Amino acid sequence: KHSSAVTSLRVSITVTMGSSTTITTPDESSLSKENYKAMADVRRSLWMEGFKGMGYGAIFGFAIHSGTKAMQSWSMKRANVASGSTDATARHYLFRGLAFTKNTAFLSVMAGGALGAFLLSSTAGKNEVHNLHPVFDLGKKNTFRTRYQMLAQQSQAIDEEKAREHRRLNRRETITDRMVYGKGLSDCGRTENDEKN
């Protein structure tokens, strides 16, 4: 049960977060009962809304097909074109060249169902994703870095090391100058008049 919940979490992360954000799957031992319940609720909501969208879309697709077919029949009657007439191609009417059959009705139902399922399940996912934020936070502990991020971090470390080496060389040069020209560290605040006296 828990492994299936983590698998569905991986799918939910891929769907809701997209490819730009990478989150590792948290360990099953780090998930609480509330986390499992949240994942199950989101999964249930996605399935339910998907099935509702499929039903609504199928009905809508069939209605569009029937309405279009009725409009074509009405237009053909106004143009005095009998069904199966040889001069049908010479007349002008709505949706000329389209034949509405059982195949087109089946296509309309399937296409409407697929579109409705996609729209409603996507909407449900965007509305329910806030319930998974605690689970996402658990997976952020070991975040994956892209090659660009690793190169940028290495470049920043090299720049910091160069700056540190530059400061070290400046300190050595300053100390060397003070020792060579007779100015000790304790003589830093003395003026030329004090040295003459």
Side-chain angles (χ1 to χ4, degrees), residues 67-116:
T68 308
K69 184 178 180 181
M71 288 175 65
Q72 185 190 50
S73 299
W74 172 80
S75 178
M76 289 175 71
K77 287 179 182 177
R78 284 199 58 166
N80 294 323
V81 177
S83 59
S85 176
T86 56
D87 62 342
T89 55
R91 304 294 182 89
H92 294 283
Y93 54 90
L94 293 176
F95 309 112
R96 191 173 127 203
L98 293 179
F100 294 96
T101 61
K102 292 181 180 179
N103 291 336
T104 56
F106 182 72
L107 176 63
S108 300
V109 169
M110 296 302 290
L115 181 62

Short mmCIF file of all heavy atoms in Angstrom, two decimals, residues 67-116:
data_model
loop_
_atom_site.label_atom_id
_atom_site.label_comp_id
_atom_site.label_asym_id
_atom_site.label_seq_id
_atom_site.Cartn_x
_atom_site.Cartn_y
_atom_site.Cartn_z
N GLY A 67 -25.72 18.04 -33.38
CA GLY A 67 -26.09 19.39 -33.79
C GLY A 67 -25.55 19.75 -35.15
O GLY A 67 -26.26 20.35 -35.98
N THR A 68 -24.31 19.37 -35.41
CA THR A 68 -23.72 19.65 -36.72
C THR A 68 -24.44 18.88 -37.83
O THR A 68 -24.69 19.40 -38.92
CB THR A 68 -22.22 19.29 -36.72
OG1 THR A 68 -21.60 19.93 -35.61
CG2 THR A 68 -21.55 19.75 -37.98
N LYS A 69 -24.77 17.64 -37.53
CA LYS A 69 -25.50 16.83 -38.51
C LYS A 69 -26.88 17.42 -38.80
O LYS A 69 -27.34 17.48 -39.96
CB LYS A 69 -25.64 15.40 -37.99
CG LYS A 69 -26.30 14.44 -38.95
CD LYS A 69 -26.33 13.04 -38.36
CE LYS A 69 -27.00 12.06 -39.32
NZ LYS A 69 -27.06 10.69 -38.75
N ALA A 70 -27.57 17.89 -37.74
CA ALA A 70 -28.89 18.50 -37.91
C ALA A 70 -28.79 19.79 -38.72
O ALA A 70 -29.64 20.08 -39.59
CB ALA A 70 -29.51 18.77 -36.56
N MET A 71 -27.73 20.59 -38.48
CA MET A 71 -27.54 21.83 -39.24
C MET A 71 -27.28 21.53 -40.71
O MET A 71 -27.77 22.23 -41.61
CB MET A 71 -26.37 22.63 -38.65
CG MET A 71 -26.69 23.28 -37.32
SD MET A 71 -25.26 24.10 -36.60
CE MET A 71 -24.99 25.37 -37.80
N GLN A 72 -26.52 20.47 -40.97
CA GLN A 72 -26.27 20.10 -42.36
C GLN A 72 -27.57 19.66 -43.05
O GLN A 72 -27.84 20.05 -44.19
CB GLN A 72 -25.24 18.98 -42.44
CG GLN A 72 -24.84 18.64 -43.87
CD GLN A 72 -24.02 17.38 -43.94
OE1 GLN A 72 -24.40 16.37 -43.38
NE2 GLN A 72 -22.88 17.47 -44.63
N SER A 73 -28.39 18.86 -42.35
CA SER A 73 -29.67 18.42 -42.93
C SER A 73 -30.59 19.60 -43.21
O SER A 73 -31.23 19.69 -44.27
CB SER A 73 -30.36 17.43 -41.99
OG SER A 73 -29.57 16.29 -41.80
N TRP A 74 -30.65 20.53 -42.28
CA TRP A 74 -31.48 21.72 -42.46
C TRP A 74 -30.99 22.55 -43.64
O TRP A 74 -31.77 23.05 -44.46
CB TRP A 74 -31.47 22.54 -41.18
CG TRP A 74 -32.13 23.87 -41.29
CD1 TRP A 74 -33.46 24.13 -41.24
CD2 TRP A 74 -31.48 25.13 -41.49
NE1 TRP A 74 -33.69 25.46 -41.38
CE2 TRP A 74 -32.48 26.11 -41.54
CE3 TRP A 74 -30.15 25.53 -41.63
CZ2 TRP A 74 -32.20 27.46 -41.72
CZ3 TRP A 74 -29.87 26.87 -41.81
CH2 TRP A 74 -30.90 27.81 -41.86
N SER A 75 -29.67 22.69 -43.76
CA SER A 75 -29.10 23.48 -44.86
C SER A 75 -29.35 22.79 -46.20
O SER A 75 -29.62 23.46 -47.21
CB SER A 75 -27.60 23.66 -44.63
OG SER A 75 -27.02 24.36 -45.70
N MET A 76 -29.28 21.46 -46.22
CA MET A 76 -29.54 20.75 -47.47
C MET A 76 -31.00 20.88 -47.89
O MET A 76 -31.31 20.97 -49.09
CB MET A 76 -29.16 19.26 -47.31
CG MET A 76 -27.66 19.03 -47.22
SD MET A 76 -27.23 17.32 -46.88
CE MET A 76 -27.67 16.57 -48.44
N LYS A 77 -31.91 20.89 -46.92
CA LYS A 77 -33.33 21.08 -47.25
C LYS A 77 -33.58 22.46 -47.84
O LYS A 77 -34.36 22.63 -48.78
CB LYS A 77 -34.18 20.86 -46.02
CG LYS A 77 -34.29 19.41 -45.60
CD LYS A 77 -35.13 19.27 -44.35
CE LYS A 77 -35.20 17.82 -43.90
NZ LYS A 77 -35.96 17.65 -42.64
N ARG A 78 -32.92 23.44 -47.29
CA ARG A 78 -33.09 24.81 -47.83
C ARG A 78 -32.52 24.93 -49.23
O ARG A 78 -33.01 25.71 -50.04
CB ARG A 78 -32.38 25.81 -46.90
CG ARG A 78 -33.16 26.06 -45.64
CD ARG A 78 -32.72 27.32 -44.99
NE ARG A 78 -32.86 28.46 -45.91
CZ ARG A 78 -32.79 29.72 -45.53
NH1 ARG A 78 -32.60 30.02 -44.25
NH2 ARG A 78 -32.93 30.69 -46.38
N ALA A 79 -31.46 24.14 -49.49
CA ALA A 79 -30.86 24.18 -50.83
C ALA A 79 -31.54 23.20 -51.77
O ALA A 79 -31.10 23.05 -52.92
CB ALA A 79 -29.37 23.86 -50.74
N ASN A 80 -32.62 22.56 -51.31
CA ASN A 80 -33.36 21.58 -52.12
C ASN A 80 -32.45 20.46 -52.64
O ASN A 80 -32.48 20.10 -53.82
CB ASN A 80 -34.05 22.25 -53.30
CG ASN A 80 -35.14 23.19 -52.84
OD1 ASN A 80 -35.83 22.91 -51.87
ND2 ASN A 80 -35.28 24.31 -53.54
N VAL A 81 -31.62 19.96 -51.76
CA VAL A 81 -30.74 18.85 -52.12
C VAL A 81 -31.26 17.61 -51.42
O VAL A 81 -31.29 17.54 -50.19
CB VAL A 81 -29.28 19.13 -51.69
CG1 VAL A 81 -28.41 17.93 -52.01
CG2 VAL A 81 -28.76 20.37 -52.40
N ALA A 82 -31.70 16.65 -52.19
CA ALA A 82 -32.16 15.39 -51.61
C ALA A 82 -30.96 14.54 -51.24
O ALA A 82 -29.91 14.60 -51.89
CB ALA A 82 -33.05 14.65 -52.61
N SER A 83 -31.10 13.79 -50.16
CA SER A 83 -30.00 12.93 -49.75
C SER A 83 -29.75 11.89 -50.83
O SER A 83 -30.67 11.22 -51.29
CB SER A 83 -30.33 12.24 -48.42
OG SER A 83 -31.51 11.48 -48.55
N GLY A 84 -28.53 11.79 -51.26
CA GLY A 84 -28.18 10.84 -52.33
C GLY A 84 -28.38 11.41 -53.71
O GLY A 84 -28.27 10.69 -54.70
N SER A 85 -28.66 12.69 -53.83
CA SER A 85 -28.88 13.30 -55.15
C SER A 85 -27.57 13.45 -55.89
O SER A 85 -26.51 13.68 -55.30
CB SER A 85 -29.55 14.66 -54.98
OG SER A 85 -29.70 15.29 -56.23
N THR A 86 -27.63 13.35 -57.22
CA THR A 86 -26.41 13.44 -58.01
C THR A 86 -25.90 14.87 -58.13
O THR A 86 -24.71 15.10 -58.35
CB THR A 86 -26.67 12.89 -59.42
OG1 THR A 86 -27.76 13.59 -60.01
CG2 THR A 86 -26.97 11.40 -59.37
N ASP A 87 -26.78 15.86 -57.99
CA ASP A 87 -26.35 17.25 -58.11
C ASP A 87 -26.04 17.87 -56.75
O ASP A 87 -26.00 19.09 -56.63
CB ASP A 87 -27.42 18.08 -58.82
CG ASP A 87 -28.72 18.11 -58.03
OD1 ASP A 87 -28.89 17.24 -57.14
OD2 ASP A 87 -29.54 19.00 -58.30
N ALA A 88 -25.80 17.04 -55.75
CA ALA A 88 -25.51 17.57 -54.41
C ALA A 88 -24.19 18.33 -54.37
O ALA A 88 -24.04 19.30 -53.64
CB ALA A 88 -25.48 16.42 -53.39
N THR A 89 -23.25 17.91 -55.20
CA THR A 89 -21.95 18.58 -55.20
C THR A 89 -22.03 19.96 -55.84
O THR A 89 -21.18 20.81 -55.61
CB THR A 89 -20.92 17.73 -55.95
OG1 THR A 89 -21.42 17.46 -57.26
CG2 THR A 89 -20.67 16.42 -55.22
N ALA A 90 -23.04 20.18 -56.66
CA ALA A 90 -23.17 21.47 -57.34
C ALA A 90 -23.89 22.50 -56.47
O ALA A 90 -23.84 23.69 -56.78
CB ALA A 90 -23.92 21.30 -58.66
N ARG A 91 -24.57 22.08 -55.42
CA ARG A 91 -25.28 23.00 -54.55
C ARG A 91 -24.40 23.43 -53.38
O ARG A 91 -23.45 22.76 -53.00
CB ARG A 91 -26.54 22.31 -54.01
CG ARG A 91 -27.47 21.79 -55.08
CD ARG A 91 -28.08 22.91 -55.90
NE ARG A 91 -29.00 22.43 -56.91
CZ ARG A 91 -30.28 22.25 -56.70
NH1 ARG A 91 -30.81 22.48 -55.51
NH2 ARG A 91 -31.07 21.84 -57.68
N HIS A 92 -24.75 24.57 -52.81
CA HIS A 92 -24.02 25.10 -51.66
C HIS A 92 -24.87 24.92 -50.41
O HIS A 92 -26.00 25.40 -50.35
CB HIS A 92 -23.70 26.59 -51.88
CG HIS A 92 -22.74 26.81 -53.02
ND1 HIS A 92 -21.40 26.57 -52.91
CD2 HIS A 92 -22.95 27.24 -54.29
CE1 HIS A 92 -20.80 26.86 -54.04
NE2 HIS A 92 -21.72 27.26 -54.91
N TYR A 93 -24.29 24.27 -49.41
CA TYR A 93 -24.98 24.09 -48.14
C TYR A 93 -23.90 23.95 -47.05
O TYR A 93 -22.70 23.83 -47.34
CB TYR A 93 -25.90 22.87 -48.16
CG TYR A 93 -25.21 21.58 -48.58
CD1 TYR A 93 -24.63 20.74 -47.63
CD2 TYR A 93 -25.17 21.21 -49.92
CE1 TYR A 93 -24.00 19.57 -48.01
CE2 TYR A 93 -24.56 20.03 -50.30
CZ TYR A 93 -23.97 19.21 -49.34
OH TYR A 93 -23.36 18.05 -49.72
N LEU A 94 -24.31 23.99 -45.80
CA LEU A 94 -23.37 23.94 -44.68
C LEU A 94 -22.68 22.58 -44.59
O LEU A 94 -23.30 21.55 -44.85
CB LEU A 94 -24.10 24.23 -43.36
CG LEU A 94 -24.66 25.64 -43.18
CD1 LEU A 94 -25.43 25.74 -41.88
CD2 LEU A 94 -23.54 26.66 -43.20
N PHE A 95 -21.38 22.64 -44.22
CA PHE A 95 -20.57 21.43 -44.01
C PHE A 95 -20.58 20.53 -45.25
O PHE A 95 -20.71 19.32 -45.15
CB PHE A 95 -21.05 20.65 -42.78
CG PHE A 95 -21.19 21.50 -41.55
CD1 PHE A 95 -22.44 21.77 -41.01
CD2 PHE A 95 -20.07 22.04 -40.94
CE1 PHE A 95 -22.57 22.56 -39.90
CE2 PHE A 95 -20.19 22.83 -39.81
CZ PHE A 95 -21.44 23.10 -39.29
N ARG A 96 -20.49 21.17 -46.39
CA ARG A 96 -20.50 20.42 -47.64
C ARG A 96 -19.25 19.55 -47.72
O ARG A 96 -18.15 19.97 -47.40
CB ARG A 96 -20.52 21.40 -48.81
CG ARG A 96 -20.80 20.73 -50.15
CD ARG A 96 -20.96 21.76 -51.23
NE ARG A 96 -20.07 21.46 -52.36
CZ ARG A 96 -19.67 22.33 -53.22
NH1 ARG A 96 -20.00 23.59 -53.08
NH2 ARG A 96 -18.91 21.99 -54.22
N GLY A 97 -19.42 18.33 -48.11
CA GLY A 97 -18.29 17.40 -48.22
C GLY A 97 -18.10 16.52 -46.99
O GLY A 97 -17.29 15.60 -47.02
N LEU A 98 -18.81 16.82 -45.91
CA LEU A 98 -18.70 16.01 -44.70
C LEU A 98 -19.86 15.01 -44.65
O LEU A 98 -21.01 15.38 -44.87
CB LEU A 98 -18.73 16.89 -43.45
CG LEU A 98 -17.54 17.82 -43.23
CD1 LEU A 98 -17.75 18.63 -41.97
CD2 LEU A 98 -16.25 17.03 -43.13
N ALA A 99 -19.53 13.79 -44.34
CA ALA A 99 -20.55 12.75 -44.20
C ALA A 99 -20.59 12.33 -42.74
O ALA A 99 -19.58 11.89 -42.18
CB ALA A 99 -20.22 11.56 -45.09
N PHE A 100 -21.71 12.52 -42.10
CA PHE A 100 -21.86 12.18 -40.68
C PHE A 100 -22.40 10.74 -40.57
O PHE A 100 -23.54 10.47 -40.95
CB PHE A 100 -22.79 13.17 -40.00
CG PHE A 100 -22.22 14.55 -39.93
CD1 PHE A 100 -22.55 15.49 -40.89
CD2 PHE A 100 -21.35 14.90 -38.93
CE1 PHE A 100 -22.02 16.77 -40.85
CE2 PHE A 100 -20.80 16.17 -38.87
CZ PHE A 100 -21.13 17.11 -39.83
N THR A 101 -21.54 9.86 -40.08
CA THR A 101 -21.89 8.45 -39.95
C THR A 101 -21.68 8.00 -38.51
O THR A 101 -21.36 8.81 -37.62
CB THR A 101 -21.03 7.60 -40.90
OG1 THR A 101 -19.65 7.76 -40.52
CG2 THR A 101 -21.19 8.04 -42.35
N LYS A 102 -21.81 6.68 -38.28
CA LYS A 102 -21.55 6.13 -36.95
C LYS A 102 -20.08 6.28 -36.57
O LYS A 102 -19.75 6.47 -35.39
CB LYS A 102 -21.94 4.65 -36.93
CG LYS A 102 -23.42 4.40 -37.06
CD LYS A 102 -23.72 2.91 -37.01
CE LYS A 102 -25.23 2.67 -37.14
NZ LYS A 102 -25.54 1.22 -37.11
N ASN A 103 -19.22 6.22 -37.56
CA ASN A 103 -17.79 6.39 -37.28
C ASN A 103 -17.47 7.80 -36.79
O ASN A 103 -16.68 7.99 -35.85
CB ASN A 103 -16.96 6.07 -38.53
CG ASN A 103 -17.00 4.60 -38.89
OD1 ASN A 103 -17.24 3.75 -38.03
ND2 ASN A 103 -16.79 4.30 -40.16
N THR A 104 -18.05 8.80 -37.44
CA THR A 104 -17.79 10.18 -36.99
C THR A 104 -18.43 10.43 -35.61
O THR A 104 -17.89 11.18 -34.81
CB THR A 104 -18.33 11.18 -38.01
OG1 THR A 104 -19.73 10.93 -38.24
CG2 THR A 104 -17.58 11.07 -39.32
N ALA A 105 -19.57 9.77 -35.35
CA ALA A 105 -20.19 9.91 -34.03
C ALA A 105 -19.29 9.29 -32.96
O ALA A 105 -19.09 9.87 -31.89
CB ALA A 105 -21.57 9.25 -34.02
N PHE A 106 -18.73 8.12 -33.26
CA PHE A 106 -17.83 7.46 -32.32
C PHE A 106 -16.58 8.30 -32.09
O PHE A 106 -16.10 8.44 -30.95
CB PHE A 106 -17.46 6.07 -32.85
CG PHE A 106 -16.57 5.28 -31.94
CD1 PHE A 106 -17.06 4.73 -30.76
CD2 PHE A 106 -15.24 5.10 -32.25
CE1 PHE A 106 -16.24 4.01 -29.92
CE2 PHE A 106 -14.41 4.39 -31.41
CZ PHE A 106 -14.91 3.83 -30.24
N LEU A 107 -16.04 8.87 -33.16
CA LEU A 107 -14.87 9.74 -33.04
C LEU A 107 -15.17 10.96 -32.17
O LEU A 107 -14.36 11.35 -31.33
CB LEU A 107 -14.40 10.17 -34.43
CG LEU A 107 -13.22 11.15 -34.46
CD1 LEU A 107 -11.98 10.52 -33.85
CD2 LEU A 107 -12.97 11.62 -35.89
N SER A 108 -16.34 11.56 -32.36
CA SER A 108 -16.71 12.74 -31.57
C SER A 108 -16.84 12.40 -30.10
O SER A 108 -16.38 13.15 -29.23
CB SER A 108 -18.02 13.32 -32.09
OG SER A 108 -17.91 13.70 -33.43
N VAL A 109 -17.43 11.25 -29.81
CA VAL A 109 -17.59 10.82 -28.40
C VAL A 109 -16.24 10.57 -27.76
O VAL A 109 -15.96 11.02 -26.64
CB VAL A 109 -18.49 9.57 -28.33
CG1 VAL A 109 -18.45 8.96 -26.93
CG2 VAL A 109 -19.92 9.92 -28.70
N MET A 110 -15.36 9.86 -28.47
CA MET A 110 -14.04 9.54 -27.90
C MET A 110 -13.18 10.79 -27.74
O MET A 110 -12.51 10.97 -26.72
CB MET A 110 -13.33 8.52 -28.80
CG MET A 110 -14.02 7.17 -28.88
SD MET A 110 -14.20 6.39 -27.26
CE MET A 110 -12.51 5.99 -26.89
N ALA A 111 -13.18 11.65 -28.74
CA ALA A 111 -12.38 12.88 -28.65
C ALA A 111 -12.89 13.79 -27.54
O ALA A 111 -12.11 14.37 -26.77
CB ALA A 111 -12.39 13.61 -29.99
N GLY A 112 -14.22 13.93 -27.45
CA GLY A 112 -14.78 14.75 -26.38
C GLY A 112 -14.48 14.19 -25.01
O GLY A 112 -14.16 14.93 -24.07
N GLY A 113 -14.56 12.85 -24.86
CA GLY A 113 -14.25 12.23 -23.58
C GLY A 113 -12.80 12.43 -23.18
O GLY A 113 -12.50 12.72 -22.02
N ALA A 114 -11.89 12.26 -24.13
CA ALA A 114 -10.46 12.44 -23.83
C ALA A 114 -10.16 13.89 -23.45
O ALA A 114 -9.43 14.15 -22.47
CB ALA A 114 -9.62 12.03 -25.05
N LEU A 115 -10.72 14.83 -24.19
CA LEU A 115 -10.49 16.24 -23.88
C LEU A 115 -11.08 16.62 -22.53
O LEU A 115 -10.44 17.32 -21.72
CB LEU A 115 -11.08 17.12 -24.98
CG LEU A 115 -10.89 18.63 -24.83
CD1 LEU A 115 -9.41 18.97 -24.84
CD2 LEU A 115 -11.61 19.38 -25.93
N GLY A 116 -12.29 16.14 -22.24
CA GLY A 116 -12.91 16.45 -20.94
C GLY A 116 -12.15 15.85 -19.79
O GLY A 116 -11.97 16.50 -18.75
#
